[in-house]
Amino acid sequence: MAKLADLRDDIKKVEADLGAQLEAIDDPSSLEAFRVEFLGRKGRISALLKQLGAVEPAERAQAGQWLNDLKDRSASAFSARETELRRRAMDDRLAKERADVTLPGVYRPYGHAHPLSKVQEEIESIFMRMGFDVATGPEIETEYYNFEALNIPADHPARADWDTFYITDSTLLRPHTSPVQIRVMERSTPPVRIICPGRCYRRDAQDATHSPVFHQIELLWVEEGLSLANLKFVLELFTKEYFGPGYEMRFSGDFFPFTEPSVQVHIKAPGASHWLEIMGAGMVDPAVLTAVGYDPERITGFAFGLGIERMAMLKYGIDDIRTFLTNDLRFVHQL
Ligand code: PHE
């Protein structure tokens, strides 16, 4: 028969070992090893419980009570330790993952529109607010759209005004956006109110104000009853929106085969002493209206063509057209 006193000593020993070991445990795997050693089915506490049958019946109740107490205390000590370890692991993780709000941010470079695109969009939006639609046409054009329909027949000396890159005998890189007028009028009935932005090409030697590739915006308004006064009104509104208030405007005579009369448009900044030439314009020539099947007795219209680079250079004080194409990021970022 097992002695009650011996059993109590064993219980004390197990409890002492258990306390000391539990204290030292600081990771989940030794916690599990601990559980198996003491609380497992074949653990030390189970082994003690098995001795209960060998205790004198009269002492069994006492022994059972001690053993139950041991089991309960061990189980709650274990789960307290387990909770404590979990909490510590969480604290460690939180400490490790804490964001240091004093660290500098990560610079993420992102793209933006080229200064020319921005100026183009700005001009487009001014005219769109006035009710013009944006139309585009091909950069590779035929002689017909680029010259003939614009009242510049073959062998006409005015062809020399556009230093054109020819691709074949009858196709070319368009030297202006005026052919888009023809394409749009051919497929529309008046009123026609469009602006046509796009790239143009000329066989110009490159210098501060010339580039073999550049951009224009063409404007065309065609319907009954339009006069030069309407053109002037549209241009004054545009100048005020694009450059600011207080600009003066004047027309001087010019010649384009597709407009009659043709004018050169000049503006003067408030307080400035000199006039700046900003674009060529005029009333659409009856020959052009006829070429697209309109009746020039009934329909009139006006058009202009402005250089986008020139508009950007005037507004932002850029003195060399080549800077638009060199992709120097200091320049590209500044507008
Ligand atoms: N197409 C002309 C040019 O490039 C500009 C222009 C357009 C003039 C429309 C008058 C009317 O030189």
Side-chain angles (χ1 to χ4, degrees):
M1 277 286 137
K3 288 257 178 51
L4 191 59
D6 291 344
L7 184 59
R8 194 178 56 192
D9 288 348
D10 287 347
I11 289 174
K12 283 202 171 126
K13 173 108 181 54
V14 167
E15 192 155 20
D17 287 354
L18 180 148
Q21 282 200 31
L22 201 55
E23 194 58 28
I25 286 172
D26 57 3
D27 68 284
S29 65
S30 29
L31 189 68
E32 176 57 13
F34 167 90
R35 194 190 62 73
V36 171
E37 180 181 349
F38 288 95
L39 308 170
R41 243 177 343 107
K42 295 180 181 161
R44 287 172 67 179
I45 293 176
S46 283
L48 287 180
L49 281 166
K50 276 185 199 131
Q51 291 183 29
L52 194 59
V55 173
E56 295 279 357
E59 294 170 341
R60 220 171 265 167
Q62 177 66 73
Q65 163 116 50
W66 286 341
L67 283 167
N68 271 333
D69 287 352
L70 172 67
K71 240 178 97 178
D72 291 349
R73 278 200 303 276
S74 314
S76 59
F78 170 81
S79 71
R81 192 68 189 161
E82 191 180 36
T83 310
E84 164 71 7
L85 285 183
R86 274 216 201 103
R87 192 183 56 74
R88 248 201 263 161
M90 177 61 87
D91 284 352
D92 284 354
R93 224 182 95 194
L94 289 178
K96 240 184 268 150
E97 290 176 1
R98 183 162 56 207
D100 180 353
V101 294
T102 65
L103 281 174
V106 181
Y107 172 66
R108 299 197 195 284
Y110 53 91
H112 66 85
H114 187 274
L116 271 185
S117 308
K118 285 191 192 170
V119 169
Q120 176 177 325
E121 275 168 24
E122 189 186 347
I123 297 175
E124 280 175 16
S125 81
I126 292 172
F127 287 114
M128 280 159 75
R129 287 200 294 278
M130 291 188 214
F132 288 82
D133 290 330
V134 175
T136 53
E139 290 173 24
I140 296 175
E141 260 304 359
T142 62
E143 273 199 313
Y144 176 77
Y145 287 106
N146 192 69
F147 287 130
E148 262 133 64
L150 287 164
N151 197 31
I152 318 169
D155 304 324
H156 192 287
R159 287 204 182 190
D161 293 346
W162 290 272
D163 302 305
T164 308
F165 287 111
Y166 274 84
I167 293 171
T168 65
D169 281 349
S170 59
T171 52
L172 45 86
L173 287 173
R174 68 176 180 198
H176 57 174
T177 42
S178 297
V180 186
Q181 288 188 20
I182 305 296
R183 289 180 176 275
V184 174
M185 283 193 285
E186 266 186 351
R187 57 171 192 248
S188 324
T189 46
V192 173
R193 247 193 320 264
I194 50 160
I195 53 167
C196 322
R199 202 173 284 150
C200 302
Y201 305 83
R202 287 189 197 178
R203 234 152 36 123
D204 277 337
Q206 206 165 34
D207 63 25
T209 54
H210 295 88
S211 165
V213 48
F214 61 102
H215 300 76
Q216 276 190 342
I217 293 186
E218 185 90 4
L219 175 142
L220 176 74
W221 184 348
V222 177
E223 70 175 279
E224 274 179 62
L226 291 174
S227 74
L228 211 57
N230 299 109
L231 167 62
K232 193 147 191 253
F233 177 80
V234 166
L235 284 177
E236 270 166 2
L237 206 56
F238 166 70
T239 304
K240 195 159 118 213
E241 297 265 307
Y242 182 72
F243 289 105
Y247 274 76
E248 286 176 72
M249 171 176 299
R250 78 175 184 200
F251 287 172
S252 65
D254 203 340
F255 173 77
F256 298 103
F258 33 89
T259 46
E260 181 57 37
S262 303
V263 295
Q264 197 55 248
V265 183
H266 307 253
I267 58 168
K268 191 160 73 143
S273 56
H274 58 284
W275 291 88
L276 302 165
E277 196 184 296
I278 57 166
M279 67 182 87
M283 300 304 294
V284 180
D285 195 286
V288 173
L289 296 171
T290 306
V292 296
Y294 292 178
D295 175 6
E297 296 297 324
R298 205 164 55 80
I299 302 293
T300 51
F302 55 81
F304 66 67
L306 57 79
I308 302 179
E309 281 84 352
R310 181 150 174 78
M311 287 294 128
M313 289 166 81
L314 290 175
K315 183 160 173 174
Y316 297 104
I318 298 159
D319 56 12
D320 194 326
I321 197 171
R322 289 168 291 199
T323 46
F324 289 112
L325 292 174
T326 46
N327 286 335
D328 180 336
L329 287 181
R330 291 167 304 175
F331 169 75
V332 169
H333 280 292
Q334 77 187 347
L335 288 192

